[in-house]
Amino acid sequence: MGGKLVFPGGAVYHATKYAVEAISDAMRFEVAGFGIEVVIVEPGLIVTNFENAALASMDGLSRGDGTYDHFNTSVAKAMSDVYSGPMSRLGGGPDAVAKVVAKSLRVRRPRIRYTVTPSAKLALAGRRVMPDRLWDLAMRSTFPRPQ
């Protein structure tokens, strides 16, 4: 899902997901003649140790005197809240992704995209109908702007 919507503080992460989306869309056309079908799996919140790895990657970004200190702290808190708060109930485990991958391999004609977890379905549906300025407003209500 990170290739369809962006959260503040995740520019590089989301850029890689957008790249996977683009490569997959191009490859779907390019390899179809060889009998290869390209499927994109779009997981939402997957409750694993990802949170710990992501938070660890943010360690050292805030030094107490920089422009982004308050922002980075807010991003880390928001991420932690998602993984440990009520939102985590809309996530799933790695087995949810594995089941979707297995399903895509079993069916005769797999879908092009599979969205995994209620968090992904809700976030992607909301983003699809939300104009950019409204999305920005929602992000500003959750994350402070670096100044």
Side-chain angles (χ1 to χ4, degrees):
M1 118 177 154
K4 295 283 189 190
L5 53 86
V6 177
F7 294 107
V12 173
Y13 174 81
H14 290 287
T16 63
K17 302 306 179 194
Y18 271 82
V20 169
E21 290 269 344
I23 291 167
S24 298
D25 286 339
M27 284 181 56
R28 187 173 51 258
F29 175 82
E30 295 171 11
V31 301
F34 302 105
I36 299 169
E37 295 183 72
V38 176
V39 172
I40 300 170
V41 177
E42 299 173 324
L45 179 63
I46 302 297
V47 184
T48 61
N49 287 329
F50 175 78
E51 171 199 5
N52 296 332
L55 291 173
S57 73
M58 296 181 76
D59 282 350
L61 292 178
S62 296
R63 295 184 183 90
D65 60 355
T67 302
Y68 277 82
D69 287 346
H70 180 60
F71 174 75
N72 290 334
T73 301
S74 296
V75 168
K77 182 179 178 341
M79 184 181 306
S80 182
D81 290 350
V82 164
Y83 279 88
S84 61
M87 189 71 180
S88 66
R89 288 186 286 231
L90 297 176
D95 57 317
V97 177
K99 285 177 186 174
V100 168
V101 170
K103 177 182 177 179
S104 74
L105 292 170
R106 281 193 311 269
V107 298
R108 189 179 73 70
R109 188 175 164 163
R111 295 190 333 226
I112 291 171
R113 284 179 172 75
Y114 288 90
T115 305
V116 184
T117 74
S119 66
K121 293 175 188 340
L122 287 169
L124 291 172
R127 183 63 183 108
R128 257 192 311 274
V129 299
M130 193 178 294
D132 292 336
R133 291 197 191 279
L134 185 56
W135 177 261
D136 289 351
L137 179 64
M139 293 301 99
R140 279 195 309 273
S141 71
T142 305
F143 302 97
R145 274 195 187 163
Q147 294 183 8

